[in-house]
mmCIF file of all heavy atoms in Angstrom:
data_model
loop_
_atom_site.group_PDB
_atom_site.id
_atom_site.type_symbol
_atom_site.label_atom_id
_atom_site.label_comp_id
_atom_site.label_asym_id
_atom_site.label_seq_id
_atom_site.Cartn_x
_atom_site.Cartn_y
_atom_site.Cartn_z
ATOM 1 N N VAL A 322 23.239 -16.544 21.989
ATOM 2 C CA VAL A 322 22.258 -17.346 22.791
ATOM 3 C C VAL A 322 22.847 -17.711 24.159
ATOM 4 O O VAL A 322 24.036 -18.061 24.301
ATOM 5 C CB VAL A 322 21.901 -18.646 22.096
ATOM 6 C CG1 VAL A 322 20.947 -19.500 22.947
ATOM 7 C CG2 VAL A 322 21.244 -18.362 20.764
ATOM 8 N N ASN A 323 22.080 -17.394 25.186
ATOM 9 C CA ASN A 323 22.470 -17.714 26.540
ATOM 10 C C ASN A 323 21.515 -18.633 27.217
ATOM 11 O O ASN A 323 20.308 -18.579 26.958
ATOM 12 C CB ASN A 323 22.572 -16.451 27.421
ATOM 13 C CG ASN A 323 23.802 -15.574 26.977
ATOM 14 O OD1 ASN A 323 24.901 -16.077 26.915
ATOM 15 N ND2 ASN A 323 23.509 -14.306 26.718
ATOM 16 N N PRO A 324 21.964 -19.640 28.039
ATOM 17 C CA PRO A 324 23.366 -19.806 28.350
ATOM 18 C C PRO A 324 24.123 -20.504 27.214
ATOM 19 O O PRO A 324 23.471 -21.098 26.313
ATOM 20 C CB PRO A 324 23.322 -20.754 29.582
ATOM 21 C CG PRO A 324 22.031 -21.509 29.412
ATOM 22 C CD PRO A 324 21.095 -20.547 28.758
ATOM 23 N N ALA A 325 25.400 -20.422 27.245
ATOM 24 C CA ALA A 325 26.188 -20.993 26.157
ATOM 25 C C ALA A 325 26.007 -22.514 25.992
ATOM 26 O O ALA A 325 26.237 -23.073 24.938
ATOM 27 C CB ALA A 325 27.707 -20.718 26.404
ATOM 28 N N ASN A 326 25.635 -23.168 27.094
ATOM 29 C CA ASN A 326 25.441 -24.622 27.042
ATOM 30 C C ASN A 326 24.019 -25.043 26.830
ATOM 31 O O ASN A 326 23.621 -26.162 27.166
ATOM 32 C CB ASN A 326 25.996 -25.288 28.263
ATOM 33 C CG ASN A 326 25.270 -24.878 29.525
ATOM 34 O OD1 ASN A 326 24.575 -23.822 29.558
ATOM 35 N ND2 ASN A 326 25.385 -25.650 30.624
ATOM 36 N N ALA A 327 23.181 -24.131 26.254
ATOM 37 C CA ALA A 327 21.794 -24.494 25.993
ATOM 38 C C ALA A 327 21.760 -25.697 25.163
ATOM 39 O O ALA A 327 22.539 -25.869 24.199
ATOM 40 C CB ALA A 327 21.107 -23.317 25.305
ATOM 41 N N THR A 328 20.816 -26.687 25.485
ATOM 42 C CA THR A 328 20.779 -27.900 24.797
ATOM 43 C C THR A 328 20.464 -27.717 23.315
ATOM 44 O O THR A 328 21.088 -28.307 22.450
ATOM 45 C CB THR A 328 19.642 -28.762 25.412
ATOM 46 O OG1 THR A 328 19.952 -28.960 26.836
ATOM 47 C CG2 THR A 328 19.601 -30.138 24.725
ATOM 48 N N ASP A 329 19.514 -26.860 23.014
ATOM 49 C CA ASP A 329 19.168 -26.560 21.566
ATOM 50 C C ASP A 329 19.320 -25.032 21.335
ATOM 51 O O ASP A 329 18.409 -24.271 21.646
ATOM 52 C CB ASP A 329 17.774 -26.997 21.243
ATOM 53 C CG ASP A 329 17.421 -26.779 19.790
ATOM 54 O OD1 ASP A 329 18.284 -26.318 19.021
ATOM 55 O OD2 ASP A 329 16.269 -27.025 19.405
ATOM 56 N N PRO A 330 20.501 -24.578 20.866
ATOM 57 C CA PRO A 330 20.651 -23.149 20.680
ATOM 58 C C PRO A 330 20.150 -22.602 19.338
ATOM 59 O O PRO A 330 20.335 -21.481 18.965
ATOM 60 C CB PRO A 330 22.185 -22.987 20.765
ATOM 61 C CG PRO A 330 22.701 -24.245 20.215
ATOM 62 C CD PRO A 330 21.718 -25.332 20.578
ATOM 63 N N SER A 331 19.554 -23.521 18.586
ATOM 64 C CA SER A 331 19.088 -23.115 17.187
ATOM 65 C C SER A 331 17.928 -22.065 17.284
ATOM 66 O O SER A 331 17.192 -22.064 18.309
ATOM 67 C CB SER A 331 18.710 -24.314 16.368
ATOM 68 O OG SER A 331 17.552 -24.942 16.962
ATOM 69 N N LEU A 332 17.807 -21.266 16.228
ATOM 70 C CA LEU A 332 16.876 -20.153 16.241
ATOM 71 C C LEU A 332 16.019 -20.320 15.003
ATOM 72 O O LEU A 332 16.395 -20.829 13.975
ATOM 73 C CB LEU A 332 17.571 -18.808 16.256
ATOM 74 C CG LEU A 332 18.529 -18.489 17.441
ATOM 75 C CD1 LEU A 332 19.208 -17.220 17.195
ATOM 76 C CD2 LEU A 332 17.767 -18.542 18.746
ATOM 77 N N ILE A 333 14.796 -19.709 15.173
ATOM 78 C CA ILE A 333 13.898 -19.592 13.964
ATOM 79 C C ILE A 333 13.798 -18.105 13.648
ATOM 80 O O ILE A 333 13.416 -17.286 14.525
ATOM 81 C CB ILE A 333 12.484 -20.155 14.386
ATOM 82 C CG1 ILE A 333 12.602 -21.630 14.735
ATOM 83 C CG2 ILE A 333 11.477 -19.984 13.167
ATOM 84 C CD1 ILE A 333 11.317 -22.189 15.287
ATOM 85 N N TRP A 334 14.126 -17.734 12.427
ATOM 86 C CA TRP A 334 14.110 -16.311 12.020
ATOM 87 C C TRP A 334 12.847 -16.038 11.183
ATOM 88 O O TRP A 334 12.419 -16.918 10.409
ATOM 89 C CB TRP A 334 15.303 -16.002 11.143
ATOM 90 C CG TRP A 334 16.629 -16.074 11.920
ATOM 91 C CD1 TRP A 334 17.395 -17.150 12.079
ATOM 92 C CD2 TRP A 334 17.338 -14.994 12.532
ATOM 93 N NE1 TRP A 334 18.527 -16.814 12.834
ATOM 94 C CE2 TRP A 334 18.526 -15.498 13.084
ATOM 95 C CE3 TRP A 334 17.090 -13.591 12.599
ATOM 96 C CZ2 TRP A 334 19.422 -14.729 13.757
ATOM 97 C CZ3 TRP A 334 17.971 -12.845 13.262
ATOM 98 C CH2 TRP A 334 19.130 -13.317 13.825
ATOM 99 N N ALA A 335 12.262 -14.899 11.409
ATOM 100 C CA ALA A 335 11.054 -14.498 10.734
ATOM 101 C C ALA A 335 11.020 -12.994 10.519
ATOM 102 O O ALA A 335 11.602 -12.247 11.302
ATOM 103 C CB ALA A 335 9.833 -14.992 11.499
ATOM 104 N N SER A 336 10.263 -12.552 9.504
ATOM 105 C CA SER A 336 10.046 -11.147 9.170
ATOM 106 C C SER A 336 8.570 -10.891 9.390
ATOM 107 O O SER A 336 7.686 -11.711 8.952
ATOM 108 C CB SER A 336 10.494 -10.790 7.786
ATOM 109 O OG SER A 336 9.994 -9.522 7.497
#
Side-chain angles (χ1 to χ4, degrees):
V322 176
N323 289 309
N326 64 340
T328 304
D329 181 5
S331 64
L332 301 175
I333 300 172
W334 293 85
S336 169

